[in-house]
Amino acid sequence: MPALLKLALIVAVVLLGVGLAVKAVQFLLYVGLLILVAAGIAFFLRRVRSTR
């Protein structure tokens, strides 16, 4: 029984780690997307200003 409990604990820790990694990746993707959008807006504004 303790061996099964140990295995369950290891599985739980691995799943928790995977869940945190997925959250971190989603957060990084979200931040990257925001940076991309901000850069696009800045580039667009710069082009609009330079054409005037």
Side-chain angles (χ1 to χ4, degrees), residues 27-38:
F27 177 72
L28 287 174
L29 282 172
Y30 186 66
V31 168
L33 191 67
L34 283 177
I35 290 169
L36 199 66
V37 168

Side-chain angles (χ1 to χ4, degrees), residues 9-39:
L9 188 67
I10 290 168
V11 169
V13 168
V14 167
L15 285 174
L16 184 67
V18 168
L20 285 173
V22 167
K23 285 283 180 203
V25 167
Q26 283 178 340
F27 177 72
L28 287 174
L29 282 172
Y30 186 66
V31 168
L33 191 67
L34 283 177
I35 290 169
L36 199 66
V37 168

